[in-house]
Amino acid sequence: MSSAPAQIAVTGLAVMGRNLARNLARNGFRVAVHNRSKSRTDALIEEFGHEGEFTPADDLPALVASLEQPRKIIIMVKAGEPTDAVIDELVPLLDEGDIVVDAGNAHFADTRRRENALREKGLHFVGSGVSGGEEGALNGPSIMPGGSPESYAALGPILTKISAHVNGEPCCVHVGPDGAGHFVKMLHNGIEYADMQLIAEAYDLLRQVLGLSPAELADVFRDWNSGDLESFLIEITAEVLSQVDPTTGGPFVDVVLDQAEQKGTGRWTVQVALDLGIPVSGMAEAVFGRSLSGDVVRRSAAAGVLPGPAEAKADVDRDAFIEDVRHALYASKLVAYAQGFDAIRAASEQYDWDIDLGAMATIWRGGCIIRARFLDRIKEAYDRNPALPSLLVDDYFKEAVANGQEAWRRVVATAASVGVPAPGFSAALSYYDGLRAERLPAALIQGLRDLFGAHTYRRVDRDGAFHLDWSGDRTESPA
Ligand code: 6PG
């Protein structure tokens, strides 16, 4: 325990808050800690008090009183109403210039609202993404802080110190003002959803088409983890697939109910992307895939009833098919990231955030759930061209997809012919083909819209909007 004023506080000591507080203390910061029910505060001090200088507080006034100014208080409670409740209780206790940080998975629109409300009271509100789960919070997460530059001037030295580091660089930068940090964290989660969906499709295809066992598949993923696909999620896929169920002695993955749950950040990403007009088909398929998995009523009505292809096995060479699926996974993953970065760019323009896209790749290189070797390639792509219209047109990505595209197409075709669902792989390929098309069938859609609703169309050879007199003599007139 410490007698000097604490440098930072954490309120909300469930596992993420507790680990974040421990991380701060282990890095030499004097940390004030508080939890609504005191038992958690006591448990933290009892079990981990020796790790650094903690100041336990029984209530928020005591927490506030224990801090040096400007006060820095991290809220780590459930997103939504619990966060508002803590803010409402804290605000009257604070002085101008104090900084309130919400490190939960808040919706960025809530963060914008809260930032605005606290700014009017002379306080800084920082919505900060924190990724890496319990382990990351303790040993170095990826941190995505929003809020004012002034607040980051005070918080930056603390947050960068406790964040993960890759090649000596912290996985923490100031993302941008108000809700920018939480927006980027939301996108991180959207990409996490897409990544996991693609991994699951790769697993399913290899298992169903080649008949590989989970243990054999674990070896495949272990092998992939030494190449371009190297990432935390591929690494833990091998771990989950090699796990044996202690009760049955069979593969763990076979005793787990096949209904994926979701807390909402993936869904938010897709909802927000719809509003921004940015296709994030990889993430959308991942969210829909989870919804379908949980739709027990319709699944049980259809399973074993709706017919599929007569032959579920494809005539493929084992090693060649594994390599094809690896290419399909990598190419589809690149599409998911390209779409994710498009959404960040669009939001940055819409909200005037001025987000440095290359820096976002840097902060995701370590600590977070989507940490991966190829994030370096994204950073390099934006270094080469900060105004890159799509990651897919960068030379590295263009070549990576070009190298794998035949394999990718074979995998999608095989999935369709054997009746194994691969919505992530196929949506990614369709996006890629749509993006590179010289001409899309949207022209026909425009014709239809003009015919049934006089919605007008634009021409390839002249400026302006036009309408055809469909029910009359079919002459064209400017709209
Ligand atoms: C992280 C994770 C974390 C959490 C997800 C899970 O970055 O540390 O993304 O935020 O594990 O929110 O989300 P679902 O429950 O929706 O899968």
Side-chain angles (χ1 to χ4, degrees), residues 105 130-133 185 188-189 192-193 261-265 290 369:
N105 270 335
V130 175
S131 176
K185 174 62 191 356
H188 163 283
N189 283 27
E192 173 186 304
Y193 272 55
E261 306 200 0
Q262 48 187 318
K263 286 200 283 291
T265 44
R290 289 196 194 189
I369 305 297

Side-chain angles (χ1 to χ4, degrees), residues 55-351:
T55 306
D58 287 353
D59 51 26
L60 287 177
L63 187 80
V64 168
S66 69
L67 283 163
E68 64 181 28
Q69 286 180 299
R71 301 182 184 91
K72 301 165 203 71
I73 302 174
I74 300 178
I75 302 175
M76 204 38 148
V77 300
K78 235 171 136 165
E81 277 172 29
T83 307
D84 279 319
V86 176
I87 295 171
D88 289 348
E89 208 181 321
L90 262 181
V91 163
L93 306 168
L94 300 177
D95 293 308
E96 205 173 316
D98 285 350
I99 303 166
V100 178
V101 181
D102 174 12
N105 270 335
H107 194 293
F108 79 100
D110 283 339
T111 304
R112 282 168 62 76
R113 166 179 60 79
R114 291 168 181 147
E115 197 273 340
N116 193 39
L118 265 67
R119 187 159 17 96
E120 281 173 9
K121 297 182 193 306
L123 302 171
H124 296 283
F125 184 78
V126 175
S128 178
V130 175
S131 176
E134 301 174 28
E135 213 273 330
L138 183 61
N139 296 318
S142 168
I143 308 182
M144 296 150 251
S148 64
E150 300 91 291
S151 63
Y152 193 71
L155 285 171
I158 303 177
L159 298 183
T160 50
K161 193 158 180 205
I162 65 159
S163 75
H165 284 70
V166 173
N167 301 333
E169 275 183 73
C171 297
C172 170
V173 290
H174 182 223
V175 175
D178 59 77
H182 272 147
F183 183 90
V184 165
K185 174 62 191 356
M186 179 186 76
L187 247 297
H188 163 283
N189 283 27
I191 293 174
E192 173 186 304
Y193 272 55
D195 233 343
M196 287 197 282
Q197 172 69 24
L198 295 170
I199 288 172
E201 290 178 19
Y203 148 80
D204 199 20
L205 272 167
L206 292 176
R207 190 159 184 191
Q208 295 213 47
V209 172
L210 298 178
L212 299 183
S213 69
E216 287 169 321
L217 285 162
D219 287 338
V220 170
F221 280 94
R222 225 168 264 128
D223 180 46
W224 288 354
N225 201 38
S226 58
D228 289 334
L229 278 169
E230 182 189 321
S231 60
F232 173 66
L233 285 171
I234 295 283
E235 181 192 323
I236 62 170
T237 299
E239 206 175 318
V240 172
L241 289 175
S242 58
Q243 179 65 38
V244 169
D245 172 45
T247 315
T248 60
F252 164 78
V253 74
D254 289 345
V255 300
V256 178
L257 202 63
D258 63 345
Q259 295 167 25
E261 306 200 0
Q262 48 187 318
K263 286 200 283 291
T265 44
R267 186 169 55 237
W268 289 349
T269 312
V270 178
Q271 286 167 337
V272 170
L274 283 173
D275 287 339
L276 289 168
I278 300 295
V280 290
S281 37
M283 300 175 215
E285 290 299 348
V287 174
F288 291 146
R290 289 196 194 189
S291 305
L292 176 64
S293 78
D295 190 352
V296 183
V297 174
R298 265 145 294 278
R299 284 183 64 194
S300 56
V305 173
L306 299 184
E311 179 55 71
K313 292 267 175 293
D315 184 19
V316 290
D317 172 76
R318 180 187 185 277
D319 291 346
F321 190 62
I322 291 176
E323 186 57 6
D324 276 3
V325 173
R326 185 182 69 81
H327 278 298
L329 177 53
Y330 194 49
S332 305
K333 183 178 162 122
L334 297 186
V335 168
Y337 276 75
Q339 294 183 334
F341 276 79
D342 283 350
I344 298 178
R345 192 206 54 243
S348 178
E349 281 165 14
Q350 171 142 338
Y351 297 106

